[in-house]
Amino acid sequence: MRLVIARCSVDYAGRLTAHLPSAPRLILVKADGSVSIHADDRAYKPLNWMSPPCTLKEGAGEDEGVWTVVNKAGEKLIITMEEILHDSSHELGVDPGLIKDGVEAHLQELLADRIETLGDGYTLIRREYMTAIGPVDILCRDAEGRTVAIEIKRRGEIDGVEQLTRYLDLLNRDPHLAPVRGIFAAQEIKPQARVLATDRGIDCHIMDYDALRGIEDDKLRLF
């Protein structure tokens, strides 16, 4: 990972255009090719970013100090450096992945055992399917034989969608698995996470913990 603190301005050119005026900011360049730009607030959320796969070109000559990040859709993130205050690189290696709490781990186990709750014809390939960037919670096939990657959370938020997006980018490079689509499964999915998932072609699935455990709803039913 490369960490750069610089006074810079940022322009985004794609489906929309956006401009960040000159200010000190943190720029993260990760090994997966992603580039994100952060201010000293907003918690973990970047001001702007480019998800992988993308390429970073650092300008030379007349363009020295201008970074151009281009993704596969041709969208550009142009970072104009005015002053670099810090520039360092660090080898973090392969992350072991998030260790799920007891509920998430149990949800994964239950859904794997009852994979047919996603639809008729679903079959399990395996739980904890290992990739170079961590394990996919569940890998399965749908009724048409297409590969499906499932990310499970107790509460579905934007970071979970981003995590599944990274897995899908990697899995779709494997000709034995591609095309791979994604399902984001949780007991509760935040509206922003649902919007992002839909925009990226990822299906959302609300998990009923009690139903997966075979516990009947004790509410009165008409039928």
Side-chain angles (χ1 to χ4, degrees), residues 8-177:
C8 62
S9 60
V10 184
D11 292 278
Y12 174 82
R15 289 172 292 178
L16 302 172
T17 59
H19 174 73
L20 294 172
S22 176
R25 297 187 175 95
L26 168 65
I27 303 166
L28 299 182
V29 183
K30 295 186 178 180
D32 63 3
S34 63
V35 178
S36 58
I37 300 156
H38 300 259
D40 200 12
D41 61 5
R42 299 165 61 94
Y44 63 87
K45 188 175 181 180
L47 297 166
N48 215 325
W49 69 93
M50 194 69 83
S51 299
C54 56
T55 58
L56 167 63
K57 179 181 178 181
E58 298 185 39
E62 293 182 356
D63 293 327
E64 186 176 0
V66 178
W67 290 14
T68 303
V69 187
V70 183
N71 67 11
K72 62 181 180 181
E75 298 169 316
K76 294 182 179 180
L77 192 65
I78 301 170
I79 307 169
T80 303
M81 305 288 190
E82 298 172 14
E83 181 184 9
I84 294 179
L85 306 173
H86 175 85
D87 189 347
S88 64
S89 296
H90 308 270
E91 183 62 50
L92 302 184
V94 177
D95 192 88
L98 181 68
I99 298 175
K100 295 184 176 293
D101 65 22
V103 173
E104 288 185 7
H106 197 203
L107 285 170
Q108 182 192 118
E109 179 182 352
L110 289 170
L111 185 57
D113 288 342
R114 296 166 177 80
I115 200 69
E116 69 280 357
T117 60
L118 295 174
D120 293 336
Y122 273 76
T123 57
L124 179 69
I125 296 176
R126 67 169 297 170
R127 291 173 53 198
E128 298 287 337
Y129 184 89
M130 186 56 64
T131 74
I133 57 174
V136 177
D137 287 339
I138 293 177
L139 201 68
C140 61
R141 296 195 187 279
D142 62 17
E144 286 73 41
R146 296 172 297 184
T147 310
V148 182
I150 304 172
E151 179 63 28
I152 296 172
K153 299 293 184 187
R154 181 169 56 178
R155 179 183 293 112
E157 301 189 50
I158 284 177
D159 57 348
V161 179
E162 294 284 7
Q163 183 179 359
L164 179 54
T165 299
R166 292 192 293 271
Y167 288 142
L168 291 172
D169 285 340
L170 189 63
L171 292 170
N172 272 300
R173 300 175 198 173
D174 186 338
H176 299 292
L177 297 175

